[in-house]
């Protein structure tokens, strides 16, 4: 029966259909082109804030982790957390190691979201539930979240935590750099609580010069590497240390470009693919259907 | 005993039985009130009524197994929505995407590529010989996408937000693009398949008198080419973007698979899968429905598949060479082993068999090669990218739980049942008149 329909198709009608097809293809392309350049470089222009974490100054008092629980109203407020979980945005990890001098020593590493400048989780999110505030913090809004966990899969630091035991309303949980407190002109709760000066909150640029100044003033003590300056294209959380980062469990083989730049390359080729494919297919269809009646006789 | 568990068990027994009863009732009605024992067993009516009386024992076992899978699947779903995804899967924050994404969604969508490939060959390239294959291919694709979406709903933590990508455009996110395209393409596939449904509906006078189904049918057959072109464009977009998903994790994915050309490789292999899946589906349904096998057509499909496979092999190794990743082929790791299985069994062997004309004339060899492509070039490849290739970074902390496997099995069973039902009651295959002659 569909055969009959197709045989009766006149050339004019066919052209009309093909025209519609082309129009649809080109339309999609135009829409895609129009919205494309919006989001990428927003964060770069604004001044972004961050936290400088000097591991050599940390005494492991856990004030930051407890202040975080208090400020974010997370459960188990009086217990010192020992790992990231849906109720823990940050914790202090004691690491025992042997220093270059051969002594056994302990260092305390505060772990939390690194707040990448061009974050994989932000670029991964299909609904902008995870988004960059533009001033450093990478923030999550549950109301848009699908719970697809592609942000977790994308995160180079394995930071986000999902409520695996929640059937219908699980969320992604991670440090948000106390975005609300920052908006009111304050400091993140962990920085405000730090008694030893290991945490320092400021604009990222100033933190970087501060970090390099500390390295220069004491080059024998500090490692000549600010972790987070270049890792995955730069992070808002910056670490200084007096022992090698790999001994502290940091990933030191991360790329210095932001992974979203790679997907961006692929995604920006799409409008071309759409346009090309629509044109090619429409052209082919036009060509093969030009004499429908003659081909029937084959 | 926990009352919740009792409720779950009760529901999982009742739901499949109710499902079977409803399908049976519907089938009974559609078949014009004539009861046939094939209809008795849900959509397993894949076998036409004439042949049903033969070997009753095997059929009973099969039906019981299907019911068991569906029942267990239902209980697991209930567990998942009450106690969370963690209670039924082995997923964790370190390994957040597992079987349901790697196999059901990534594998399923690739295996549903037959819809755009065959429709494209038959209607856009206008190779009219292939037109008889287009309808079953589109049906397979439609059901494949519905199955992928079903798996996604199970896998998403907050499935009621599944529509959000359509509203909040995130053109930097490959997943956003996949979501939008899969949604649109499922609609397009439905439009492509609608004439088949309408053809059947138009036989029922009561409906055609009251509803404009006849003009609707005319509209959709006339503008079919528009939907076919749209389908090809949308498929190209999301088949490749399923590969782009993993371009985001250069630090995690093993260099044998990580490449910025992953989307291209995904697209080429999906086209090959489209041909292979059509061979598999045609062969199986010719067995199930006692139809003749379109051997010449399948042989041609095999030839096209082999061409795509050779191109795939070339691009794959050129890509490895360009990234200086060739040494990883011989590192002796689980990854290199898995890679060789994928390439040898999934690409080299079927491509060779299908390239040799005399071998391509043997139905068993065509089917075997196509099955190899499906199992290794697609399923194993997608699992390598989404699972095995990540182990060096994450450690081997994830293997699917039996409950994850059971949910996948239940979804596949539903798909097969639906295909059987659709093939029986709708004019999907060319010789449909002989099979569904009962209704008027």
């Amino acid at each position: 029966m569909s055969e009959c329909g197709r045989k009766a198709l006149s050339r004019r009608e066919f052209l009309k259909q093909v025209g519609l097809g082309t129009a649809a293809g080109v339309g999609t392309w135009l829409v895609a082109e129009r919205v494309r350049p919006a989001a990428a470089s927003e964060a770069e222009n604004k001044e972004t804030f961050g936290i400088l974490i000097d591991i050599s100054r940390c005494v492991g008092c856990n004030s930051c982790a407890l202040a975080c629980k208090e400020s974010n109203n997370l459960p188990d407020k009086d217990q010192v957390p020992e790992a990231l979980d849906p109720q823990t945005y940050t914790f202090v990890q004691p690491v025992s190691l042997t220093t270059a001098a051969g002594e056994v020593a302990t260092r305390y590493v505060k772990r939390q979201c690194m707040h990448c400048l061009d974050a994989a989780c932000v670029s991964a999110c299909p609904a902008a539930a995870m988004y960059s505030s533009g001033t450093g913090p990478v923030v999550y809004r549950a109301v848009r979240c699908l719970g697809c966990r592609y942000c977790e899969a994308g995160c180079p630091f394995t930071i986000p935590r999902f409520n695996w035991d929640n059937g219908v309303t699980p969320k992604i949980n991670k440090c948000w750099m106390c975005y609300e407190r920052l908006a009111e002109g304050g400091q993140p709760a962990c920085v405000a609580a730090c008694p030893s000066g290991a945490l320092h909150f400021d604009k990222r640029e100033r933190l970087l010069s501060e970090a390099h100044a500390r390295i220069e003033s004491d080059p024998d003590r500090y490692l000549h590497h600010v972790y987070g300056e270049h890792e995955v294209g730069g992070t808002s959380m910056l670490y200084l240390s007096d022992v090698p980062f790999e001994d502290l469990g940091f990933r030191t083989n991360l790329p210095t470009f932001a992974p979203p730049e790679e997907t961006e390359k692929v995604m920006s080729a799409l409008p071309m693919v759409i346009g090309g494919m629509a044109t090619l297919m429409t052209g082919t269809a036009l060509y093969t259907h030009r004499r429908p009646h003659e081909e029937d006789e084959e | 005993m926990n009352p919740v568990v009792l409720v779950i068990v009760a529901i999982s027994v009742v739901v499949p039985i109710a499902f079977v009863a409803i399908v049976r009732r519907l089938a009974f009605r559609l078949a014009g009130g004539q009861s046939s024992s094939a209809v008795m067993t849900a959509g397993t009516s894949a076998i036409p009524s004439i042949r049903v009386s033969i070997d009753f024992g095997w059929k009973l076992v099969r039906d019981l197994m299907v019911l068991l899978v569906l029942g267990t699947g239902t209980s697991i779903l209930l567990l998942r929505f009450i106690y969370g995804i963690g209670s039924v899967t082995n997923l964790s924050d370190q390994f957040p995407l597992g079987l349901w994404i790697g196999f059901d969604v990534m594998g399923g969508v690739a295996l549903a590529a037959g819809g755009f490939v065959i429709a494209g060959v038959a209607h856009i390239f206008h190779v009219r010989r292939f037109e008889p294959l287009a309808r079953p291919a589109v049906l397979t694709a439609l059901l494949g996408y519905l199955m992928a979406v079903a798996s996604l709903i199970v896998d998403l933590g907050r499935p009621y937000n599944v529509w959000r990508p359509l509203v909040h455009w995130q053109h930097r996110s490959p997943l956003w693009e996949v979501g939008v395209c899969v949604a649109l393409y499922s609609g397009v596939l439905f439009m492509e398949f609608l004439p088949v449904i309408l053809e059947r509906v138009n036989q029922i006078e009561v409906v055609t008198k009251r509803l404009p189904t006849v003009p609707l049918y005319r509209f959709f057959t006339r503008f079919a080419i528009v939907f076919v072109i749209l389908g090809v464009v949308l498929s190209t977009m999301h088949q490749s973007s399923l590969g782009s998903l993993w371009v985001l994790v250069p630090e995690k994915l093993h260099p044998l698979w990580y490449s910025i050309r992953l989307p291209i490789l995904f697209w080429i292999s999906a086209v090959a899968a489209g041909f292979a899946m059509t061979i598999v589906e045609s062969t199986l349904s010719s067995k199930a429905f006692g139809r003749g096998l379109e051997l010449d057509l399948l042989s041609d499909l095999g030839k096209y598949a082999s061409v795509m496979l050779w191109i795939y092999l070339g691009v794959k190794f050129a890509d490895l060479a360009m990234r200086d990743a060739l040494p990883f082929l011989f590192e002796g790791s689980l990854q290199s082993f898995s890679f060789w299985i994928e390439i040898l069994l999934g690409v080299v062997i079927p491509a060779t068999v299908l390239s040799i004309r005399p071998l391509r004339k043997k139905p068993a060899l065509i089917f075997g090669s196509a099955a190899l492509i499906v199992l290794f070039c697609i399923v194993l490849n997608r699992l390598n990218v989404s699972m095995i290739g990540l182990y060096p970074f994450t450690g081997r902390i994830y293997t699917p739980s039996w409950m994850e496997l059971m949910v996948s099995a239940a979804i596949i069973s539903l798909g097969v049942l639906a295909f059987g039902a659709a093939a029986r009651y709708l004019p999907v295959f060319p010789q449909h008149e002989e099979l569904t002659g009962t209704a008027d």
Side-chain angles (χ1 to χ4, degrees):
Chain A
M1 269 153 276
S2 62
E3 308 287 312
C4 303
R6 219 165 282 128
K7 269 178 201 162
L9 202 68
S10 78
R11 189 189 162 85
R12 210 176 122 210
E13 273 173 341
F14 179 74
L15 283 176
K16 209 159 61 184
Q17 295 169 20
V18 169
L20 266 176
T22 322
V26 171
T28 328
W29 186 5
L30 286 178
V31 170
E33 273 292 352
R34 192 175 59 78
V35 294
R36 196 152 60 85
S41 55
E42 232 169 86
E44 290 157 25
N45 304 329
K46 286 187 197 159
E47 291 198 297
T48 65
F49 289 86
I51 299 174
L52 177 63
I53 302 169
D54 192 333
I55 293 171
S56 71
R57 291 188 185 182
C58 180
V59 293
C61 68
N62 280 303
S63 305
C64 52
L66 293 172
C68 173
K69 290 232 163 198
E70 183 66 42
S71 172
N72 289 300
N73 206 16
L74 296 167
D76 300 330
K77 285 191 177 58
D78 307 322
Q79 278 174 28
V80 173
E82 287 169 358
L84 292 184
D85 61 49
Q87 280 101 44
T88 306
Y89 296 167
T90 185
F91 76 106
V92 178
Q93 182 188 10
V95 184
S96 294
L97 47 87
T98 324
T99 57
E103 300 162 29
V104 177
T106 305
R107 291 290 178 275
Y108 300 95
V109 187
K110 180 180 180 296
R111 307 273 186 201
Q112 75 295 307
C113 172
M114 294 292 286
H115 296 276
C116 309
L117 298 183
D118 188 356
C121 57
V122 172
S123 116
C125 186
M130 194 71 81
Y131 67 103
S132 170
S133 64
T135 55
V138 172
V139 190
Y140 168 77
R141 47 188 161 192
V143 66
R144 284 190 178 191
C145 180
L146 283 72
C148 70
R149 311 182 298 282
Y150 186 35
C151 51
E152 291 197 307
C155 180
F157 304 101
T158 327
I159 294 299
R161 291 294 182 269
F162 182 74
N163 299 104
W164 293 100
D165 54 355
N166 185 323
V168 204
T169 54
K171 290 177 186 168
I172 294 291
N173 306 275
K174 71 168 198 67
C175 162
W176 59 321
M177 222 200 271
C178 293
Y179 182 53
E180 262 177 15
R181 290 172 62 117
L182 300 200
E184 292 160 8
Q187 286 191 328
C190 54
V191 178
C194 182
S196 70
L199 302 180
H200 183 43
F201 173 78
D202 207 336
K203 284 176 183 154
R204 186 171 182 270
E205 269 174 41
R206 277 196 249 164
L207 289 179
L208 275 176
S209 41
E210 164 76 19
H212 286 289
R214 281 190 207 174
I215 292 173
E216 258 167 54
S217 68
D218 202 348
D220 297 333
R221 175 182 158 90
Y222 282 111
L223 219 67
H224 294 217
H225 180 182
V226 182
Y227 192 91
E229 186 175 8
H230 300 298
E231 276 76 11
V232 292
T235 62
S236 299
M237 295 289 176
L238 301 166
Y239 283 90
L240 269 180
S241 171
D242 56 344
V243 289
F245 282 111
E246 51 264 39
D247 293 351
L248 296 171
F250 282 79
R251 289 195 179 109
T252 47
N253 56 351
L254 293 176
T256 51
F257 60 84
E261 285 171 17
E262 296 297 289
T263 39
E264 175 104 45
K265 282 181 205 160
V266 179
M267 296 299 289
S268 59
L270 268 177
M272 213 179 65
V273 172
I274 300 168
M277 208 65 189
T279 317
L280 189 72
M281 288 299 126
T282 314
T284 311
L286 261 175
Y287 179 78
T288 54
H289 285 73
R290 69 199 185 285
R291 295 260 173 83
H293 294 283
E294 266 178 37
E295 270 184 31
D296 286 346
E297 286 156 24
E298 261 179 33
Chain B
M1 206 177 171
N2 192 338
V4 181
V5 176
L6 281 177
V7 172
I8 289 174
V9 170
I11 294 180
S12 359
V13 172
V14 171
V15 166
I17 292 177
F19 174 77
V20 170
I22 291 167
V23 173
R24 206 181 126 182
R25 184 81 206 136
L26 273 175
F28 183 72
R29 283 269 194 81
L30 272 173
Q34 287 187 13
S35 169
S36 69
S37 40
V39 176
M40 306 274 284
T41 48
T44 32
S45 48
I47 292 175
S49 46
I50 324 138
R51 303 167 74 216
V52 161
S53 48
I54 325 165
D55 76 15
F56 201 75
W58 185 84
K59 206 171 131 338
L60 194 71
V61 170
R62 185 196 59 188
D63 291 346
L64 283 177
M65 278 186 48
V66 169
L67 280 182
L68 187 72
V69 169
L70 289 181
T72 327
T74 316
S75 345
I76 297 168
L77 277 191
L78 286 168
L79 281 176
R80 175 250 171 276
F81 280 107
I82 296 171
Y83 296 114
I85 298 174
S87 66
V88 298
T89 67
N90 285 342
L91 294 170
S92 61
D93 293 309
Q94 287 71 31
F95 212 108
L97 306 178
L99 184 79
W100 292 340
I101 295 298
F103 172 71
D104 293 51
V105 175
M106 284 165 62
V109 165
L111 294 179
F116 91 92
V117 173
I118 302 298
V121 171
H123 297 307
I124 297 179
F125 291 89
H126 213 217
V127 188
R128 306 203 70 161
R129 294 179 295 129
F130 286 115
E131 274 177 19
L133 295 181
R135 284 185 168 191
V138 168
L139 174 63
T140 314
L142 178 60
L143 292 174
Y145 274 83
L146 290 180
M147 284 152 71
V149 170
S151 311
L152 196 66
I153 297 291
V154 177
D155 184 79
L156 286 181
R158 306 160 73 92
Y160 41 86
N161 276 346
V162 71
W163 52 273
R164 295 239 174 218
L166 293 169
V167 181
H168 313 295
W169 283 34
Q170 282 301 300
H171 46 269
R172 285 186 94 203
S173 166
L175 191 61
W176 166 77
E177 200 249 90
V178 170
V180 171
C181 280
V182 167
L184 289 178
Y185 185 50
S186 302
V188 167
L189 273 173
F190 183 71
M191 305 292 185
E192 283 186 58
F193 192 67
L194 199 55
V196 182
I197 301 174
L198 288 177
E199 237 170 65
R200 180 70 186 81
V201 168
N202 286 345
Q203 290 174 356
I204 308 167
E205 233 175 280
V206 195
V207 180
T208 46
K209 269 186 192 154
R210 289 180 174 78
L211 296 169
T213 52
V214 175
L216 206 63
Y217 171 75
R218 224 174 282 142
F219 174 85
F220 276 108
T221 39
R222 278 209 180 159
F223 290 92
I225 187 85
V226 177
F227 292 111
V228 175
I229 292 177
L230 260 178
V232 172
V233 174
L234 287 170
S235 294
T236 302
M237 287 167 73
H238 69 261
Q239 293 285 2
S240 60
S241 287
L242 280 171
S244 315
L245 286 183
W246 303 93
V247 173
L248 188 63
V249 289
E251 73 282 352
K252 293 188 182 180
L253 187 54
H254 192 278
L256 281 175
W257 294 284
Y258 181 82
S259 162
I260 192 148
R261 284 171 282 272
L262 209 50
I264 302 174
L265 290 164
F266 264 52
W267 185 80
I268 302 175
S269 58
V271 176
F275 292 123
M277 220 21 213
T278 310
I279 295 175
V280 170
E281 164 257 301
S282 287
T283 313
L284 290 182
S285 53
S286 90
K287 280 242 167 66
F289 301 99
R291 295 171 45 244
L293 194 64
E294 305 95 334
L295 191 58
D296 290 347
L297 291 182
L298 296 195
S299 176
D300 280 353
L301 288 183
K303 187 171 73 186
Y304 299 157
S306 76
V307 171
M308 291 316 290
L309 287 179
W310 290 125
I311 296 176
Y312 180 74
L313 196 67
V315 176
K316 180 83 206 179
F317 276 86
D319 173 61
L320 285 173
M322 281 158 84
R323 292 185 292 109
D324 298 320
L326 288 173
F328 291 102
L329 291 174
F330 309 104
E331 67 175 6
S333 58
L334 171 72
Q335 284 71 32
S336 62
F337 181 65
S338 196
F339 179 88
W340 280 114
I341 295 187
E342 175 197 325
I343 291 294
L344 289 179
L345 290 184
V347 182
V348 176
I349 292 178
T352 313
V353 171
L354 293 174
S355 301
I356 301 168
R357 189 189 291 263
L359 298 184
R360 209 164 58 214
K361 297 287 173 205
K362 296 199 168 62
L365 283 179
I366 301 178
F367 178 73
S369 309
L372 281 181
I373 298 173
V374 167
L375 285 178
F376 294 101
C377 179
I378 300 300
V379 173
L380 182 62
N381 173 263
R382 301 309 191 250
L383 290 182
N384 275 338
V385 170
S386 65
M387 232 173 268
I388 296 166
L390 297 173
Y391 286 163
F393 180 89
T394 61
R396 283 175 69 174
I397 54 171
Y398 173 81
T399 37
S401 71
W402 70 269
M403 288 191 274
E404 289 177 81
L405 289 165
M406 198 57 103
V407 169
S408 297
I411 290 174
I412 293 172
S413 310
L414 277 181
V416 174
L417 292 184
F419 187 92
R424 187 169 157 76
Y425 297 109
L426 296 172
V428 174
F429 293 105
Q431 311 97 309
H432 59 93
E433 287 83 3
E434 295 137 42
L435 289 177
T436 54
T438 42
D440 262 300

